[in-house]
């Protein structure tokens, strides 16, 4: 009998042991092809996942809000489970998935940190740091109004890799970071050096953030840098002033503004205590508005219920 | 004395240095150069002879028109639309001392000697006026429309209700054409800066953009800048006039003008237009306002428990704190229930746990809390999305399917090869005694032949497993044959032989 000649038991044992060996192997040659790993890495960074499943309730992310979060790896691994469940027709594929899921996760995690670099065609792919992904959701008119908004996260002074930065909708921004940041900076895109003020829409009053002018010479207020408010942690000194009254709108009362600025400067930060045209121009420079969130210092900032 | 450095060498790369002004060596105007020579100690002379010489000098400079090549850039960019409602218009000149190359008061410094003690003139003689589209509406609008007149009409308008600049002496032909604009005096005074404000609206900068493109300023060197004092109108077309204030030092904001004048005539050096989008507030304000009441705030992604009516149980409170939300879901039997759900974004760090996976079905990933009778659908939903997304991408699902099958096939092939190899080794192995060796040879040969011949397309014996053989085999035996996969014919043969021998 030909059928019984073949030693099936030995064969099954052989297959099982080599599967076991392959799944427990720590060798660097991982099983997935590059395209598949990239696809799964995109999936694990939630590309294509409906927003309703990321933010299940609108009250989690009201308008004009920012929310920080950790990424639940178990959740993203379930996405991968679901994706690799496609085409499981028999116990053969099932056994395969059972044997290889950990190595697939590991390969996806490795790909994940390089994905943004691949998409941007740069070579600076990141490294898996400690496997913790974090991120933020920002829903605001800032997102729709400043398309070139820059977000930088860092931990202990080292910049964290941005794994994904995408708009989920016109006014909702999603950022994912590789690691747990202690500082997140929001930088207004610089559209050329120009001058302006900060105000609410159509307001008659406005404010100007004070910038150092390199005085005193010991460098307490470096030139061009916003001056920290000694009374408010994480805050910056600002002078407020108003527009010139009268029939014609929008005229800045320069003399009032200059004296308001002069009164707010810490002592010694102005040469001879007066603001000169060059120094005034430095105060008025607009183009790189800068909002920083530092853990422990000004974060969590507010509940704003 | 003023020093001028036209090289940005003293400024570090990527840096911009702001200066109050860059003074021209000689402001434009008329000068008299005088020289005196005294010859001393001439023998036979009681007094030293003095020789005087004087030379008239005219330092000319742009007055009624500008060479466009001197304009480095304007902001907001001409004919563009954008969010400029909080930006003051500005113009950058490559002529680094242009704004200070004239006195605003042409008669002011007329007789002052030029030496090291000359006070620095920080008042620019030109400025930017922001005109809203509404100001230009209608004939005889308050912002006027630019037109062209001769120089003599600029200083002596035909209409005596028009206030001309007090320009003093005019050098050059009086019939040269000049672009001018007539503005309502009240309007002009409302939007123009005062004389004290003017110095703050001009400065110089030294730029060194070595190695990088810096804020859109590609060129190195010294520049002069004029800033306007009026913000553009949001959601409107705005026009910027670059005008000469020369001779208007007593007509600016805050000064009183004889009531017989209704209009003021300004020499127009240039103009550009741009559109401003609807007002939105500025970046920093919007960022700060996140914390204002009624806005969303800045915090972790959590369901606000203030939204929940009534008292929260400790479990519900904890669930909300770690990012869960209660959602309604339809059960399979049609019942509607409330279940917990949590997306990929959580308010507390989680540890990746391989013990969770892999799940082969989404129902696998459902968690149930028997104490409260609530399901947790977080992971089952994730599983389902992953599957749906994979299914929706044919390239991926087909690719993954064939990759897995290829891998399995190669694994199987490898296993077969390895089994055969082991058998072949057993075949050639040295045996301890003759009996075992013979056994090994027989068994090994069988397996090798089986492996090799299995690929040959042998004529197949049709299966007889389900043939009805009444009387020959009992139901129990039939079942046993079916389960063992033995050949029923052989079984019958064996049975017959057994019965024969028993007989």
């Amino acid at each position: 009998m030909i059928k019984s000649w073949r030693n099936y038991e030995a064969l099954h044992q052989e297959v099982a042991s080599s599967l076991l060996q392959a799944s427990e192997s720590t060798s660097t040659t991982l099983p997935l092809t590059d395209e598949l790993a990239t696809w799964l890495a995109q999936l694990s960074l939630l590309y294509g996942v409906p927003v309703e499943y990321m933010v299940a309730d609108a009250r989690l992310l009201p308008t004009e809000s920012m929310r920080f979060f950790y990424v639940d790896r178990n959740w993203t691994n379930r996405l991968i489970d679901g994706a690799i469940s496609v085409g499981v027709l028999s116990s053969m594929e099932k056994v395969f998935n059972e044997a290889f899921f950990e190595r697939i996760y590991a390969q996806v995690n490795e790909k994940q940190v390089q994905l943004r670099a691949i998409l941007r065609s740069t070579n600076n792919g990141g490294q898996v740091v400690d496997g913790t992904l974090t991120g933020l959701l920002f829903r605001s008119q800032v997102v729709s109004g400043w398309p070139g908004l820059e977000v930088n996260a860092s931990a202990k002074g080292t910049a964290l890799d941005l794994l994904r930065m995408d708009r989920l909708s016109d006014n909702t921004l999603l950022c994912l970071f590789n690691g747990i940041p202690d500082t997140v900076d929001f930088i207004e895109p610089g559209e050329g050096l120009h001058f302006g003020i900060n105000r609410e829409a159509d307001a008659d009053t406005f404010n100007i953030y004070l910038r150092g002018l390199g005085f005193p010479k010991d460098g307490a207020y470096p030139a061009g840098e916003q001056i920290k408010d000694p009374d408010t942690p994480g805050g910056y000194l600002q002078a407020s002033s108003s527009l010139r009254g009268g029939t014609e709108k929008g005229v800045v009362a320069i003399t009032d503004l200059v004296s308001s600025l002069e009164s707010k400067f810490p002592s010694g930060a102005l040469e001879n205590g007066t603001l000169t045209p060059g120094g005034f121009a430095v105060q008025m420079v607009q183009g790189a508005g800068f909002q920083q969130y530092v853990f422990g210092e000004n974060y969590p900032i507010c509940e704003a219920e | 004395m003023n020093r001028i450095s036209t090289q940005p060498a003293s400024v570090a790369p990527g840096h911009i240095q702001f200066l109050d002004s860059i003074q021209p060596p000689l402001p434009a105007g008329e000068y008299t150069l005088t020289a005196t020579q005294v010859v001393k100690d001439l023998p036979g002379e009681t007094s030293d002879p003095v020789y005087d010489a004087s030379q008239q000098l005219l330092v000319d400079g742009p007055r009624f028109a500008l060479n466009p090549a001197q304009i480095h850039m304007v902001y907001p960019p001409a004919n563009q639309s954008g969010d400029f409602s909080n930006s003051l218009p500005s113009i950058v000149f490559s002529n680094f001392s242009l704004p200070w190359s004239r006195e605003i008061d042409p008669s002011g410094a007329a007789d002052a000697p030029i030496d090291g003690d000359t006070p620095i003139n920080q008042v620019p003689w030109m400025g930017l006026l922001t005109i809203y589209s509404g100001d230009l509406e209608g004939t005889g609008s308050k912002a006027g429309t630019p037109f062209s007149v001769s120089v003599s009409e600029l200083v002596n308008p035909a209409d005596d209700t028009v206030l001309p600049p007090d320009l003093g002496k005019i050098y050059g032909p009086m019939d040269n054409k000049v672009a001018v604009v007539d503005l309502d005096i009240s309007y002009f005074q409302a939007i123009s800066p005062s004389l004290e404000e003017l110095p703050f609206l001009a400065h110089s900068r030294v730029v060194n953009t070595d190695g990088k493109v810096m804020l859109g300023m590609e060129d190195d060197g010294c520049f002069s800048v004029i800033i306007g004092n009026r913000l553009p109108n949001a959601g409107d077309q705005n026009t910027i006039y670059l005008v000469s204030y020369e001779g208007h030092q007593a007509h600016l904001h805050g000064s009183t003008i004889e009531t017989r004048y209704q209009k003021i005539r300004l020499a127009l050096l240039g103009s550009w237009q741009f559109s401003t989008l609807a007002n939105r507030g500025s970046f920093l304000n919007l960022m700060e306002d996140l914390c204002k009441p009624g806005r969303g705030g800045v915090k972790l992604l959590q369901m606000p428990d203030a939204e929940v009516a009534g008292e929260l149980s400790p479990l519900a409170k904890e669930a909300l704190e770690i990012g869960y939300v209660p959602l309604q879901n339809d059960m399979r039997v049609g019942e509607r229930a409330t279940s917990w759900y949590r997306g990929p974004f959580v308010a507390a760090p989680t540890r990746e746990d391989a013990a969770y996976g892999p799940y082969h079905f989404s129902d696998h990933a459902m968690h149930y809390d028997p104490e409260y009778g609530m399901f947790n659908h977080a992971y089952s939903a994730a599983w389902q999305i992953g599957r749906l997304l994979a299914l929706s991408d044919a390239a991926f699902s087909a690719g993954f399917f064939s990759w897995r099958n290829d891998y399995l096939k190669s694994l199987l092939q490898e296993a077969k090869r390895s089994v055969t190899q082991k058998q072949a080794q057993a075949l050639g192995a040295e045996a301890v005694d003759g009996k075992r060796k013979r056994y090994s040879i027989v068994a090994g040969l069988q397996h090798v032949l089986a492996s090799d011949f299995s690929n040959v397309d042998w004529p197949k014996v049709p299966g007889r497993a389900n043939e009805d053989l009444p009387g020959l085999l009992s139901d129990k035996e039939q079942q046993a044959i079916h389960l063992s996969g033995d050949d029923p014919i052989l079984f019958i043969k064996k049975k017959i032989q057994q019965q024969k021998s028993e007989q």
Side-chain angles (χ1 to χ4, degrees):
Chain A
M1 277 181 68
I2 292 164
K3 198 174 170 193
S4 60
W5 283 0
R6 193 188 268 175
N7 190 341
Y8 271 99
E9 206 181 322
L11 193 62
H12 283 159
Q13 249 167 27
E14 190 66 33
V15 169
S17 75
S18 58
L19 263 175
L20 205 64
Q21 223 171 13
S23 71
E24 282 174 353
S25 136
T26 48
S27 78
T28 45
T29 51
L30 286 159
L32 279 175
T33 63
D34 209 41
E35 291 83 39
L36 297 177
T38 307
W39 196 93
L40 287 173
Q42 288 199 8
L43 182 69
S44 74
L45 291 177
L46 307 166
Y47 281 93
V49 174
V51 180
E52 297 77 34
Y53 282 88
M54 298 190 209
V55 183
D57 193 304
R59 284 169 292 184
L60 285 169
L61 189 67
T63 51
E64 296 300 319
S65 68
M66 185 174 323
R67 294 288 181 268
F68 292 89
F69 55 77
Y70 297 90
V71 176
D72 184 0
R73 285 271 195 192
N74 295 318
W75 205 94
T76 55
N77 286 344
R78 294 298 79 74
L79 278 176
I80 296 170
D81 285 352
I84 65 176
S85 77
V86 169
V88 173
L89 305 174
S90 68
S91 53
M92 178 170 82
E93 286 94 352
K94 204 165 155 183
V95 165
F96 177 88
N97 284 357
E98 191 81 49
F100 282 105
F101 75 99
E102 275 178 301
R103 287 188 68 195
I104 291 176
Y105 293 169
Q107 198 180 352
V108 166
N109 289 354
E110 200 157 291
K111 200 78 191 170
Q112 212 173 41
V113 294
Q114 299 162 355
L115 196 67
R116 194 169 144 87
I118 294 168
L119 293 178
R120 295 173 69 225
S121 320
T122 58
N123 303 320
N124 321 318
Q127 308 256 309
V128 182
V129 185
D130 59 354
T132 310
L133 302 189
T134 58
L136 62 92
L137 280 163
F138 184 26
R139 182 178 177 195
S140 166
Q141 22 180 348
V142 170
V143 176
S144 53
W146 280 266
L149 181 70
E150 249 181 80
V151 181
N152 292 332
S154 57
K156 297 193 181 81
T158 320
L160 296 183
D161 289 322
L162 195 57
L163 298 182
R164 183 177 173 195
M165 180 167 173
D166 257 313
R167 274 162 202 242
L168 302 178
S169 74
D170 196 35
N171 65 350
T172 308
L173 181 78
L174 168 69
C175 293
L176 296 179
F177 307 117
N178 184 16
I180 306 173
D182 54 24
T183 306
V184 179
D185 300 334
F186 287 81
I187 304 166
E188 186 181 4
E191 294 164 9
L193 188 65
H194 62 273
F195 306 93
I197 56 158
N198 302 303
R199 62 167 173 167
E200 307 282 343
D202 298 317
D204 281 339
T205 55
F206 57 90
N207 55 53
I208 303 279
Y209 284 88
L210 265 55
R211 287 191 182 88
L213 295 172
F215 295 105
K217 292 288 184 197
D218 65 9
Y221 307 108
E225 282 185 21
Q226 287 183 19
I227 299 177
K228 287 200 173 173
D229 187 346
D231 299 329
T232 327
Y236 294 95
L237 280 182
Q238 47 181 316
S240 53
S241 188
S242 54
L243 297 177
R244 196 190 275 174
T247 50
E248 303 304 331
K249 292 189 300 170
V251 185
V252 175
I254 304 287
T255 36
D256 293 355
L257 175 58
V258 169
S259 52
S260 168
L261 282 166
E262 280 176 346
S263 69
K264 293 284 180 187
F265 264 99
S267 65
L270 286 174
E271 194 186 23
N272 307 327
T274 53
L275 193 63
T276 57
F280 176 71
V282 173
Q283 309 307 314
M284 299 298 287
V285 165
Q286 209 187 31
F290 181 73
Q291 175 72 53
Q292 192 173 50
Y293 296 110
V294 183
F295 183 78
E297 193 174 311
N298 65 345
Y299 176 82
I301 294 197
C302 54
E303 294 283 331
E305 299 295 355
Chain B
M1 205 52 204
N2 308 300
R3 293 225 180 95
I4 301 172
S5 160
T6 55
Q7 289 303 314
S10 58
V11 179
H15 283 215
I16 301 175
Q17 186 176 19
F18 287 79
L19 304 171
D20 293 342
S21 63
I22 297 178
Q23 297 292 318
L26 280 180
E30 207 173 23
Y31 295 89
T32 310
L33 188 68
T34 58
T36 309
Q37 186 185 21
V38 183
V39 183
K40 288 186 172 171
D41 301 333
L42 274 183
E45 294 286 337
T46 50
S47 62
D48 297 340
V50 176
Y51 304 95
D52 282 323
S54 70
Q55 173 71 49
Q56 291 286 313
L57 267 183
L58 176 65
V59 176
D60 205 359
R63 194 171 199 187
F64 303 126
L66 283 181
N67 179 358
Q70 292 189 336
I71 298 173
H72 183 71
M73 68 169 231
V74 296
Y75 189 92
N79 305 319
Q80 297 251 318
S81 69
D83 178 40
F84 304 125
S85 54
N86 289 317
S87 302
L88 291 168
S90 62
I91 186 165
V92 181
F93 299 107
S94 48
N95 180 344
F96 49 80
S97 65
L98 183 67
W100 306 276
S101 65
R102 293 188 169 276
E103 300 273 345
I104 190 169
D105 179 2
S107 59
D111 299 320
I114 302 288
D115 56 29
D117 298 327
T118 312
I120 292 173
N121 163 38
Q122 287 209 336
V123 184
W125 61 278
M126 53 215 277
L128 297 176
L129 293 175
T130 312
I131 312 291
Y132 301 165
S133 67
D135 304 339
L136 291 165
E137 271 165 19
T139 46
S141 64
K142 51 188 177 183
T145 27
F147 58 103
S148 185
V149 294
S150 65
V151 174
S152 61
E153 273 181 276
L154 169 65
V155 288
N156 294 308
D159 182 349
D160 61 4
T161 62
V162 174
L163 177 66
D166 181 11
L167 287 181
K169 195 167 175 187
I170 305 284
Y171 310 96
M174 291 295 277
D175 54 356
N176 269 6
K177 286 291 183 188
V178 183
V180 295
V181 62
D182 289 349
L183 274 66
D184 278 1
I185 282 189
S186 58
Y187 174 72
F188 171 75
Q189 288 213 325
I191 66 167
S192 70
S194 66
L195 191 59
E196 295 75 45
E197 290 176 341
L198 262 182
F200 290 102
L201 296 175
H203 68 271
S204 288
R205 58 169 79 133
V206 188
V207 184
N208 184 351
T209 58
D210 246 13
K212 64 173 176 180
V213 176
M214 178 82 195
L215 298 168
M217 297 188 46
E218 284 86 359
D219 298 327
D220 291 349
C222 299
F223 299 91
S224 57
V225 185
I226 296 270
I227 313 173
N229 65 331
R230 190 185 189 197
L231 298 164
N233 198 17
D236 194 9
Q237 169 98 355
N238 292 272
T239 306
I240 304 293
Y241 287 162
L242 174 65
V243 296
S244 163
Y245 290 139
E246 190 189 9
H248 283 305
Q249 68 281 358
H251 308 151
L252 294 165
H253 174 74
S255 43
T256 8
I257 293 167
E258 286 177 60
T259 47
R260 68 186 172 101
Y261 294 116
Q262 281 159 17
K263 295 253 177 196
I264 185 166
R265 181 157 291 181
L266 297 163
L268 188 67
L269 303 169
S271 76
W272 78 92
Q273 291 185 323
F274 58 92
S275 305
T276 306
L277 302 175
N279 209 334
R280 219 179 16 223
S282 44
F283 178 80
L284 283 174
N285 280 65
L286 286 172
M287 293 298 284
E288 292 221 315
D289 286 355
L290 292 175
C291 293
K292 284 202 170 164
R295 312 227 174 167
V298 180
K299 56 176 200 149
L300 285 171
L301 190 73
Q302 281 161 328
M303 189 73 162
D305 44 9
E307 298 275 341
V308 185
E311 196 68 21
L312 273 176
S313 74
L315 176 98
K317 202 170 167 60
E318 191 192 342
L320 291 182
E321 266 169 16
I322 60 174
Y324 278 100
V325 287
L327 289 179
Q328 296 263 296
N329 74 312
D330 293 325
M331 309 288 276
R332 216 157 280 166
V333 287
E335 190 188 340
R336 177 160 277 212
T338 301
S339 303
W340 289 114
Y341 175 77
R342 180 166 79 165
F345 305 148
V346 297
T350 57
R351 197 174 44 224
E352 184 174 11
D353 192 349
Y356 275 124
Y359 291 113
H360 299 291
F361 314 101
S362 58
D363 282 7
H364 245 155
M366 262 161 40
H367 296 172
Y368 181 66
D369 179 352
E371 195 181 330
Y372 289 85
M374 274 181 92
F375 283 102
N376 177 354
H377 280 298
Y379 293 158
S380 51
W383 190 95
Q384 203 61 259
I385 293 166
R387 184 175 169 91
L388 289 173
L389 286 173
L391 283 172
S392 68
D393 189 329
F396 170 77
S397 46
F400 192 82
F401 183 75
S402 58
W403 167 77
R404 181 167 50 201
N405 280 4
D406 288 351
Y407 194 87
L408 281 170
K409 256 184 219 159
S410 71
L411 208 67
L412 207 59
Q413 218 78 53
E414 180 64 27
K416 276 183 192 166
R417 200 186 58 78
S418 150
V419 167
T420 316
Q421 204 172 21
K422 273 181 194 158
Q423 289 163 349
Q425 272 167 0
L427 197 66
E430 286 293 324
V432 182
D433 60 60
K435 198 183 172 191
R436 184 180 278 182
K437 191 173 181 183
R438 209 167 52 240
Y439 174 79
S440 296
I441 288 172
V442 173
L445 198 62
Q446 272 180 347
H447 289 308
V448 171
L449 284 175
S451 309
D452 285 349
F453 286 107
S454 69
N455 292 331
V456 179
D457 199 9
W458 296 100
K460 278 177 190 149
V461 182
R464 278 170 293 199
N466 298 321
E467 267 174 41
D468 201 11
L469 298 166
L472 280 175
L473 295 169
S474 69
D475 284 2
K476 212 175 177 182
E477 281 167 336
Q478 272 188 42
Q479 222 165 5
I481 293 164
H482 184 63
L483 282 176
S484 66
D486 286 346
D487 193 340
I489 299 293
L490 285 176
F491 193 83
I492 292 163
K493 196 183 163 196
K494 227 187 265 174
K495 195 178 173 184
I496 292 166
Q497 274 172 345
Q498 205 178 350
Q499 279 171 352
K500 262 185 186 170
S501 66
E502 273 171 359
Q503 281 168 3

